Amino acid sequence: MRARTVGSLPLIFLLLLTSGQAFGVDPPRSGHPVFDRAVQLVVDNFHDPTALDRFTATVRRAIEEMPVTAKSSQAQIDRAVDAILASLDASHTARFKRDSIDYYELIDIFRFAVRNDMRRLFPPEGDANYAGIGMIARGDDQRFVSDVYDGSPADRAAILVGDEVLSVDGAPYDEIGSFKGRIGRNVEVRLRRHADAAPITVKVMVERLRPLRTFEKAIENSVTVTEHDGRRIGYVRLWTLSAPDGLDIVARELSNGRLKDADGVIVDLRGRWGGGPPDAAELFVGDTPTFRLINRNGKETPANVRWRRPVVAIIDEGARSGLELFAYALKANGIPLVGTRTAGALLAGRAYLLPDDSLLELAVSDAVIDDGLRLEGRGIDPDIPVIFSLPYAAGRDAQFDAAMEEMRRILLKG
């Protein structure tokens, strides 16, 4: 493969200069292919070489104390890899297995990085997919619904954020295993909506979900317009900036869709993943003019959409990576942020397949704003702090309500 160049230096030469070998790091070996491959990828690619001494010391302890050997069990390897990655104390640095929704969503986001393996992993087309109902649940002993993708089977079945998930078809809930092999069939999801209430059961159709397409549909289906005090207030949720058509969907809705005649728009950045172009927020804060193309039949196509009316944004720890940069740009331009602090997860990540087909996400570049501002480990504080309590929320959303109230205040003030 021909090396690309940066200035007059071949890119492959620059990569060699920044490899673990160049920094004199010789990591210990365990003999286990998954563990050793993860270690080597970190040494060769992690963005901060000053962390490698600490990392290799953690690797050595794992090998000697856990211990990690060629015959270690899957559970031992899982614990060991998690431990060595945690020692780096960085966002965009974790391992994901095929028993989690995160795996399928991230492998679709990073599909070009692992493109040579996609047909093998997802035959025959090579499109990332999994059987599911479009919801995320958090917790250990108790699992509470934290996200319901707009327009998903879970949304259509009226599953609400805050519902406690008790079982699926009578068995303990497993975000992948509960739905595997059941595409096109209904499953019975048993829920508890209030702490002291009797459980309820809802039937939900299992679908084959393609992650990025699911996100695009969720962004489109999130769009609503409600009227308050004679003013039309729009709402859209950016679940991720990584979906190829996500920002275009928002632009179309703002320019000639449901949000076109809104007096103000609430932008919900409580997403799942970041990604996207660094100038994504230009849609709301850019100074370039709105521009559209009109063909001979009078059909208009937006080419450069800029929203000039009021905006309020909602943030929490789901605003991470590219969504965090989006939130920073909004705040820097005087747009109020409602909610809780963002994730403080702004590094550039890349994904690698390990020998067992688990996915290693690794921070490969630092991220700096303007003249040295780093959001990594810091996050962005809201202008209007509002806590969201997840367990048994029953669909109530204090952060959304506060954003709506702030927008009403802005519009009444004129």
Side-chain angles (χ1 to χ4, degrees):
M1 181 177 66
R2 187 172 61 187
R4 291 182 288 131
T5 60
V6 179
S8 59
L9 291 174
L11 179 60
I12 191 168
F13 178 62
L14 292 178
L15 290 174
L16 286 171
L17 283 179
T18 58
S19 71
Q21 294 289 337
F23 290 106
V25 178
D26 187 16
R29 305 286 176 178
S30 70
H32 195 286
V34 173
F35 183 87
D36 290 348
R37 179 59 175 157
V39 169
Q40 194 63 56
L41 284 169
V42 170
V43 169
D44 289 345
N45 299 282
F46 187 66
H47 80 98
D48 181 6
T50 66
L52 294 182
D53 285 343
R54 180 177 72 248
F55 174 74
T56 53
T58 307
V59 171
R60 188 170 290 106
R61 284 196 302 273
I63 292 174
E64 294 173 355
E65 298 174 10
M66 285 192 173
V68 179
T69 70
K71 297 181 179 180
S72 291
S73 68
Q74 185 65 62
Q76 289 173 316
I77 293 302
D78 292 346
R79 288 193 298 271
V81 173
D82 287 348
I84 63 173
L85 295 178
S87 74
L88 295 167
D89 192 25
S91 69
H92 297 76
T93 301
R95 175 175 170 244
F96 302 90
K97 296 170 61 182
R98 297 190 73 158
D99 59 357
S100 72
I101 292 174
D102 288 355
Y103 175 92
Y104 296 91
E105 293 182 345
L106 279 173
I107 206 167
D108 208 8
I109 289 171
F110 288 110
R111 62 198 180 282
F112 295 115
V114 296
R115 58 187 176 276
N116 293 335
D117 292 282
M118 290 297 284
R119 288 187 181 276
R120 176 179 63 81
L121 293 171
F122 303 102
E125 296 90 355
D127 295 326
N129 68 87
Y130 66 97
I133 61 173
M135 78 175 191
I136 307 295
R138 301 179 193 164
D140 296 320
D141 295 333
Q142 293 175 288
R143 305 292 294 274
F144 294 95
V145 177
S146 60
D147 297 287
V148 177
Y149 295 156
D150 297 277
S152 68
D155 187 25
R156 297 195 300 270
I159 293 176
L160 301 178
V161 168
D163 287 350
E164 181 184 1
V165 185
L166 302 175
S167 64
V168 177
D169 280 349
Y173 168 72
D174 180 286
E175 60 183 13
I176 296 299
S178 291
F179 311 107
K180 189 174 182 179
R182 302 183 184 188
I183 293 172
R185 293 168 47 191
N186 282 319
V187 294
E188 293 189 344
V189 181
R190 194 163 174 259
L191 307 164
R192 180 175 285 115
R193 186 147 293 168
H194 304 283
D196 300 321
I200 61 174
T201 300
V202 297
K203 289 186 177 181
V204 192
M205 176 67 72
V206 179
E207 294 184 358
R208 185 183 305 278
L209 300 180
R210 292 177 169 82
L212 291 183
R213 182 65 188 122
T214 296
F215 283 132
E216 288 175 344
K217 290 179 179 178
I219 292 170
E220 189 168 19
N221 284 309
S222 75
V223 174
T224 58
V225 178
T226 56
E227 188 168 322
H228 298 271
D229 309 312
R231 302 295 185 92
R232 294 168 57 83
I233 300 177
Y235 168 89
V236 61
R237 184 164 186 173
L238 283 172
W239 285 97
T240 181
L241 297 178
S242 296
D245 201 31
L247 283 173
D248 289 338
I249 290 169
V250 178
R252 290 194 296 268
E253 294 288 354
L254 292 171
S255 62
N256 53 25
R258 289 166 288 178
L259 301 175
K260 177 182 179 182
D261 297 321
D263 297 292
V265 169
I266 294 171
V267 182
D268 194 339
L269 303 181
R270 297 174 296 180
R272 281 281 291 162
W273 311 103
D279 61 350
E282 294 288 300
L283 188 60
F284 295 97
V285 299
D287 292 329
T288 56
T290 295
F291 178 69
R292 64 188 187 276
L293 301 172
I294 306 173
N295 68 14
R296 63 187 293 170
N297 297 320
K299 182 180 179 181
E300 297 187 2
T301 302
N304 191 53
V305 176
R306 294 292 180 264
W307 179 259
R308 307 298 187 190
R309 281 163 265 173
V311 178
V312 173
I314 309 176
I315 59 171
D316 69 357
E317 68 278 4
R320 53 182 290 115
S321 191
L323 284 173
E324 205 157 11
L325 184 59
F326 197 111
Y328 173 83
L330 296 184
K331 184 165 187 171
N333 283 272
I335 291 173
L337 306 181
V338 177
T340 53
R341 182 182 298 174
T342 61
L346 189 56
L347 296 173
R350 181 180 171 177
Y352 305 86
L353 275 180
L354 296 177
D356 62 349
D357 288 334
S358 60
L359 194 71
L360 175 67
E361 185 187 18
L362 193 60
V364 296
S365 296
D366 195 3
V368 183
I369 299 173
D370 293 330
D371 296 324
L373 174 63
R374 286 177 171 83
L375 296 181
E376 177 73 11
R378 296 179 53 182
I380 303 168
D381 288 320
D383 301 291
I384 304 172
V386 181
I387 300 296
F388 179 84
S389 179
L390 178 61
Y392 309 113
R396 295 184 299 273
D397 188 343
Q399 293 173 340
F400 172 83
D401 293 342
M404 184 67 71
E405 186 59 33
E406 176 64 8
M407 179 59 76
R408 293 173 66 184
R409 186 193 68 78
I410 292 171
L411 294 176
L412 286 171
K413 184 179 179 182

